[in-house]
């Protein structure tokens, strides 16, 4: 049995879970509401202050979906109660980030600035302090969506392996390569 799948999910205070007949799991909390369609083979039960995810048999497909849907429901519960936050750092001379409402404007050394419009579920904030790298702070209740947006922002200028210039996640450890060495 899946170790992840068999672990019960505890429901925090202020969060309500509803499982419809079509296996649509709806999670409501102080931060908002999220929905997830679950495979018909997987059974989701709400018992008191816990959610149990069960599978009918040990077929390979059911085993793989068991842990997946348990993790997705756990992420939804955490998202509507606490939310998710991703901090990205712009490393490089002249790299700038500015948030204008739901539009993120990035100056990353290209001939033009990049304007990225974010969906309303994501809140963006930028911090620019003198002597420090600019920061982009993304907050949302949807873990999948915030991860996808953070990956898209990072893809504009990935950190290069020699000096580490680019957009990186805060506290990310980059493997640096040695540059050319003068041979005499």
């Amino acid at each position: 049995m899946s170790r992840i799948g068999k672990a019960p999910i505890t429901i925090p205070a202020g969060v309500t879970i509803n499982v419809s007949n079509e296996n649509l799991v709806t999670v409501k909390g102080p931060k908002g509401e999220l929905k997830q369609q679950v495979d018909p083979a997987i059974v989701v039960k709400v018992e008191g202050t816990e959610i149990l995810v069960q599978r009918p048999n040990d077929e390979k497909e059911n085993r793989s979906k068991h842990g997946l849907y348990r993790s997705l429901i756990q992420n939804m519960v955490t998202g509507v109660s606490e939310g998710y936050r991703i901090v990205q750092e712009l490393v490089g001379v002249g790299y700038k980030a500015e948030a204008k409402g739901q539009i993120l404007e990035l100056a990353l050394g290209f001939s033009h600035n990049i304007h990225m419009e974010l969906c309303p579920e994501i809140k963006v904030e930028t911090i620019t302090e003198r002597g420090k790298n600019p920061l982009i702070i993304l907050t949302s209740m949807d873990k999948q969506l915030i991860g996808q947006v953070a990956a898209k922002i990072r893809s504009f200028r990935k950190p290069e392996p020699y000096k580490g210039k680019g957009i990186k996640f805060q506290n990310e450890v980059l493997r640096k390569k040695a540059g050319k060495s003068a041979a005499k």
Side-chain angles (χ1 to χ4, degrees), residues 42-152:
I42 304 298
V43 178
V44 180
K45 292 180 184 175
V46 179
E47 294 180 356
T49 61
E50 290 187 338
I51 305 169
L52 299 174
V53 181
Q54 300 169 339
R55 63 176 187 240
N57 53 33
D58 283 346
E59 289 181 17
K60 187 172 185 176
E61 187 174 341
N62 290 336
R63 284 196 325 255
S64 66
K65 290 179 182 175
H66 188 205
L68 166 74
Y69 285 115
R70 191 255 178 221
S71 293
L72 290 176
I73 294 169
Q74 172 69 51
N75 291 343
M76 289 168 44
V77 169
T78 305
V80 298
S81 60
E82 301 167 20
Y84 290 99
R85 182 172 187 243
I86 293 180
V87 180
Q88 292 180 310
E89 191 175 342
L90 279 68
V91 180
V93 177
Y95 288 9
K96 295 177 190 159
E98 187 178 350
K100 299 176 182 174
Q102 287 301 102
I103 296 176
L104 180 64
E105 183 178 346
L106 300 168
L108 300 174
F110 297 118
S111 61
H112 60 283
N113 289 349
I114 298 170
H115 299 274
M116 182 177 181
E117 187 173 351
L118 302 173
C119 54
E121 291 89 11
I122 294 182
K123 292 175 181 55
V124 64
E125 178 187 348
T126 56
I127 298 175
T128 306
E129 292 180 19
R130 189 174 178 96
K132 294 185 179 178
N133 293 327
L135 299 176
I136 302 170
I137 301 169
L138 302 171
T139 55
S140 178
M141 65 178 170
D142 192 342
K143 186 175 185 179
Q144 182 178 351
L145 182 65
I146 194 173
Q148 191 173 357
V149 169
K152 179 67 176 173

